[in-house]
Amino acid sequence: MAKDPQPENGRGTGGASRGGSGAGRSGGVPGKGAGGRSTSSRATGPQGKGRTRPPADVVTQQKPWGLIAAAVAVAVFAAAVLTYAVLQVNESNANRVTSVDQIADLQSYEYAAGQEHVTTDVDYTESPPVGGPHDGEWADCTGTVYDVDIRHENAVHSLEHGATWIAYDPDAISDGDLSTLEELVDGRSGLMLSPYAGLGSTISLQSWNHQLAVDSATDERVEQYVDFMTFNGEIEGAYPEIGASCEKPLFITEPIVEGGSSRGTGAQVTDAPTTESPAAEGTSTP
């Protein structure tokens, strides 16, 4: 005899399993809402798959290559300038002399200090002269460029004051060498430049008790002589009147030429005995 079928376990009667309060659909599984959808699908937790912000565009800054290159160029230029300056100083020091013996072919003499002043002509041993009796009026030696062969007796007095007298043969010197000498002398205290007729070399430099002959104004010994000998009271055979003036404005405006006459005692500043008797020949010991 057939048994009546029993209601399946979990199904209520009267439709309770479908309706009711809906607890079976909504409240049975934690975290799920109506229809069984997970309420955690919009969560922002680490494992959630909710919406995220799009990645921001990252801009990589370019290096300022132009500024870097300019800085390097400036550094290289500065190093080059410094190197050049050091080399120039070293070269200058290498050419600098500290004694008379370092100037090749320089001749030295021994004229006594305080030679007498004369108004007559002197027959000097050296040509150009480097010492001995001389006129009481000195030739201006304040960097003076003469265009005449100045009277030798006046020029020797300038040597006594510590000047360097540069003489040149006007028939032998080139225009370029003459310009070089003029630029060297002009306005430089203690120097004077003049033509000298019958000079035995193209150029001759004189200071008291010393002399140097050269063939060219670009000879390095020219500047060596000028730098070392002019107003140098510490060398052997130094000029007698240390501290004496080189200024003589009258001789600039009215220079006495070789073969001319002395202006006499009226134009002199007496710093040694003066005589109008004929002077003895200047003597020296080479």
PDB file of all heavy atoms in Angstrom, residues 137 140 144 146 148 248-256 263:
ATOM      1  N   GLU A 137     124.973 121.082 -17.276  1.00  0.00           N
ATOM      2  CA  GLU A 137     123.555 120.938 -17.615  1.00  0.00           C
ATOM      3  C   GLU A 137     123.319 119.538 -18.171  1.00  0.00           C
ATOM      4  O   GLU A 137     123.956 119.131 -19.135  1.00  0.00           O
ATOM      5  CB  GLU A 137     123.156 121.977 -18.670  1.00  0.00           C
ATOM      6  CG  GLU A 137     121.700 121.869 -19.103  1.00  0.00           C
ATOM      7  CD  GLU A 137     121.367 122.815 -20.253  1.00  0.00           C
ATOM      8  OE1 GLU A 137     122.274 123.532 -20.725  1.00  0.00           O
ATOM      9  OE2 GLU A 137     120.186 122.831 -20.672  1.00  0.00           O
ATOM     10  N   ASP A 140     117.601 116.193 -20.561  1.00  0.00           N
ATOM     11  CA  ASP A 140     116.394 115.642 -19.941  1.00  0.00           C
ATOM     12  C   ASP A 140     116.303 114.140 -20.233  1.00  0.00           C
ATOM     13  O   ASP A 140     116.464 113.701 -21.379  1.00  0.00           O
ATOM     14  CB  ASP A 140     115.146 116.343 -20.478  1.00  0.00           C
ATOM     15  CG  ASP A 140     113.895 115.921 -19.745  1.00  0.00           C
ATOM     16  OD1 ASP A 140     113.303 114.888 -20.135  1.00  0.00           O
ATOM     17  OD2 ASP A 140     113.510 116.606 -18.775  1.00  0.00           O
ATOM     18  N   THR A 144     112.608 110.726 -22.760  1.00  0.00           N
ATOM     19  CA  THR A 144     112.637 111.728 -23.813  1.00  0.00           C
ATOM     20  C   THR A 144     113.172 111.141 -25.110  1.00  0.00           C
ATOM     21  O   THR A 144     114.234 110.513 -25.131  1.00  0.00           O
ATOM     22  CB  THR A 144     113.518 112.919 -23.391  1.00  0.00           C
ATOM     23  OG1 THR A 144     113.197 113.277 -22.045  1.00  0.00           O
ATOM     24  CG2 THR A 144     113.299 114.102 -24.308  1.00  0.00           C
ATOM     25  N   TYR A 146     114.622 112.182 -28.566  1.00  0.00           N
ATOM     26  CA  TYR A 146     115.205 113.295 -29.332  1.00  0.00           C
ATOM     27  C   TYR A 146     115.327 112.902 -30.803  1.00  0.00           C
ATOM     28  O   TYR A 146     115.602 111.749 -31.123  1.00  0.00           O
ATOM     29  CB  TYR A 146     116.595 113.652 -28.787  1.00  0.00           C
ATOM     30  CG  TYR A 146     116.600 114.164 -27.371  1.00  0.00           C
ATOM     31  CD1 TYR A 146     116.914 113.328 -26.306  1.00  0.00           C
ATOM     32  CD2 TYR A 146     116.292 115.489 -27.086  1.00  0.00           C
ATOM     33  CE1 TYR A 146     116.933 113.790 -24.995  1.00  0.00           C
ATOM     34  CE2 TYR A 146     116.300 115.975 -25.776  1.00  0.00           C
ATOM     35  CZ  TYR A 146     116.620 115.115 -24.736  1.00  0.00           C
ATOM     36  OH  TYR A 146     116.627 115.590 -23.433  1.00  0.00           O
ATOM     37  N   VAL A 148     117.498 114.706 -32.646  1.00  0.00           N
ATOM     38  CA  VAL A 148     118.804 115.285 -32.990  1.00  0.00           C
ATOM     39  C   VAL A 148     119.877 114.571 -32.179  1.00  0.00           C
ATOM     40  O   VAL A 148     119.613 113.997 -31.109  1.00  0.00           O
ATOM     41  CB  VAL A 148     118.847 116.802 -32.700  1.00  0.00           C
ATOM     42  CG1 VAL A 148     117.860 117.544 -33.591  1.00  0.00           C
ATOM     43  CG2 VAL A 148     118.563 117.084 -31.225  1.00  0.00           C
ATOM     44  N   LYS A 248     114.722 118.200 -17.021  1.00  0.00           N
ATOM     45  CA  LYS A 248     115.394 119.407 -17.511  1.00  0.00           C
ATOM     46  C   LYS A 248     114.564 119.947 -18.679  1.00  0.00           C
ATOM     47  O   LYS A 248     114.868 119.735 -19.846  1.00  0.00           O
ATOM     48  CB  LYS A 248     116.807 119.081 -17.969  1.00  0.00           C
ATOM     49  CG  LYS A 248     117.712 120.291 -18.008  1.00  0.00           C
ATOM     50  CD  LYS A 248     117.986 120.807 -16.600  1.00  0.00           C
ATOM     51  CE  LYS A 248     119.054 121.885 -16.627  1.00  0.00           C
ATOM     52  NZ  LYS A 248     119.259 122.485 -15.306  1.00  0.00           N
ATOM     53  N   PRO A 249     113.443 120.606 -18.381  1.00  0.00           N
ATOM     54  CA  PRO A 249     112.519 121.057 -19.428  1.00  0.00           C
ATOM     55  C   PRO A 249     113.187 121.906 -20.498  1.00  0.00           C
ATOM     56  O   PRO A 249     112.836 121.827 -21.678  1.00  0.00           O
ATOM     57  CB  PRO A 249     111.466 121.853 -18.651  1.00  0.00           C
ATOM     58  CG  PRO A 249     111.518 121.301 -17.269  1.00  0.00           C
ATOM     59  CD  PRO A 249     112.945 120.941 -17.036  1.00  0.00           C
ATOM     60  N   LEU A 250     114.180 122.731 -20.108  1.00  0.00           N
ATOM     61  CA  LEU A 250     114.851 123.584 -21.079  1.00  0.00           C
ATOM     62  C   LEU A 250     115.533 122.754 -22.165  1.00  0.00           C
ATOM     63  O   LEU A 250     115.528 123.131 -23.337  1.00  0.00           O
ATOM     64  CB  LEU A 250     115.888 124.466 -20.379  1.00  0.00           C
ATOM     65  CG  LEU A 250     116.764 125.353 -21.287  1.00  0.00           C
ATOM     66  CD1 LEU A 250     115.893 126.356 -22.050  1.00  0.00           C
ATOM     67  CD2 LEU A 250     117.835 126.066 -20.464  1.00  0.00           C
ATOM     68  N   PHE A 251     116.075 121.604 -21.781  1.00  0.00           N
ATOM     69  CA  PHE A 251     116.785 120.785 -22.759  1.00  0.00           C
ATOM     70  C   PHE A 251     115.811 120.075 -23.700  1.00  0.00           C
ATOM     71  O   PHE A 251     116.188 119.674 -24.797  1.00  0.00           O
ATOM     72  CB  PHE A 251     117.675 119.749 -22.060  1.00  0.00           C
ATOM     73  CG  PHE A 251     118.853 119.310 -22.878  1.00  0.00           C
ATOM     74  CD1 PHE A 251     120.054 119.990 -22.800  1.00  0.00           C
ATOM     75  CD2 PHE A 251     118.762 118.230 -23.746  1.00  0.00           C
ATOM     76  CE1 PHE A 251     121.151 119.602 -23.568  1.00  0.00           C
ATOM     77  CE2 PHE A 251     119.842 117.837 -24.522  1.00  0.00           C
ATOM     78  CZ  PHE A 251     121.045 118.524 -24.435  1.00  0.00           C
ATOM     79  N   ILE A 252     114.569 119.901 -23.290  1.00  0.00           N
ATOM     80  CA  ILE A 252     113.562 119.323 -24.191  1.00  0.00           C
ATOM     81  C   ILE A 252     113.184 120.335 -25.263  1.00  0.00           C
ATOM     82  O   ILE A 252     113.127 120.019 -26.462  1.00  0.00           O
ATOM     83  CB  ILE A 252     112.306 118.896 -23.414  1.00  0.00           C
ATOM     84  CG1 ILE A 252     112.640 117.777 -22.427  1.00  0.00           C
ATOM     85  CG2 ILE A 252     111.221 118.403 -24.380  1.00  0.00           C
ATOM     86  CD1 ILE A 252     111.462 117.342 -21.574  1.00  0.00           C
ATOM     87  N   THR A 253     112.925 121.533 -24.834  1.00  0.00           N
ATOM     88  CA  THR A 253     112.478 122.553 -25.785  1.00  0.00           C
ATOM     89  C   THR A 253     113.632 123.114 -26.618  1.00  0.00           C
ATOM     90  O   THR A 253     113.436 123.500 -27.775  1.00  0.00           O
ATOM     91  CB  THR A 253     111.782 123.708 -25.034  1.00  0.00           C
ATOM     92  OG1 THR A 253     112.682 124.251 -24.063  1.00  0.00           O
ATOM     93  CG2 THR A 253     110.523 123.214 -24.341  1.00  0.00           C
ATOM     94  N   GLU A 254     114.833 123.168 -26.032  1.00  0.00           N
ATOM     95  CA  GLU A 254     115.995 123.710 -26.744  1.00  0.00           C
ATOM     96  C   GLU A 254     117.198 122.776 -26.550  1.00  0.00           C
ATOM     97  O   GLU A 254     118.167 123.121 -25.855  1.00  0.00           O
ATOM     98  CB  GLU A 254     116.336 125.113 -26.238  1.00  0.00           C
ATOM     99  CG  GLU A 254     115.216 126.126 -26.420  1.00  0.00           C
ATOM    100  CD  GLU A 254     115.589 127.491 -25.861  1.00  0.00           C
ATOM    101  OE1 GLU A 254     116.802 127.797 -25.788  1.00  0.00           O
ATOM    102  OE2 GLU A 254     114.676 128.230 -25.471  1.00  0.00           O
ATOM    103  N   PRO A 255     117.157 121.582 -27.137  1.00  0.00           N
ATOM    104  CA  PRO A 255     118.281 120.660 -26.955  1.00  0.00           C
ATOM    105  C   PRO A 255     119.556 121.188 -27.624  1.00  0.00           C
ATOM    106  O   PRO A 255     119.500 121.795 -28.693  1.00  0.00           O
ATOM    107  CB  PRO A 255     117.791 119.382 -27.636  1.00  0.00           C
ATOM    108  CG  PRO A 255     116.784 119.835 -28.636  1.00  0.00           C
ATOM    109  CD  PRO A 255     116.111 121.028 -28.022  1.00  0.00           C
ATOM    110  N   ILE A 256     120.695 120.963 -26.961  1.00  0.00           N
ATOM    111  CA  ILE A 256     121.978 121.332 -27.553  1.00  0.00           C
ATOM    112  C   ILE A 256     122.460 120.154 -28.384  1.00  0.00           C
ATOM    113  O   ILE A 256     122.534 119.022 -27.892  1.00  0.00           O
ATOM    114  CB  ILE A 256     123.020 121.672 -26.470  1.00  0.00           C
ATOM    115  CG1 ILE A 256     122.491 122.778 -25.562  1.00  0.00           C
ATOM    116  CG2 ILE A 256     124.349 122.067 -27.100  1.00  0.00           C
ATOM    117  CD1 ILE A 256     123.404 123.078 -24.370  1.00  0.00           C
ATOM    118  N   ARG A 263     125.681 126.054 -22.598  1.00  0.00           N
ATOM    119  CA  ARG A 263     124.938 127.249 -22.194  1.00  0.00           C
ATOM    120  C   ARG A 263     125.602 127.928 -21.012  1.00  0.00           C
ATOM    121  O   ARG A 263     125.151 128.987 -20.567  1.00  0.00           O
ATOM    122  CB  ARG A 263     123.489 126.873 -21.862  1.00  0.00           C
ATOM    123  CG  ARG A 263     122.583 126.873 -23.077  1.00  0.00           C
ATOM    124  CD  ARG A 263     121.128 126.770 -22.674  1.00  0.00           C
ATOM    125  NE  ARG A 263     120.686 125.410 -22.566  1.00  0.00           N
ATOM    126  CZ  ARG A 263     119.986 124.759 -23.509  1.00  0.00           C
ATOM    127  NH1 ARG A 263     119.695 125.371 -24.653  1.00  0.00           N
ATOM    128  NH2 ARG A 263     119.600 123.520 -23.325  1.00  0.00           N
TER     129      ARG A 263
END
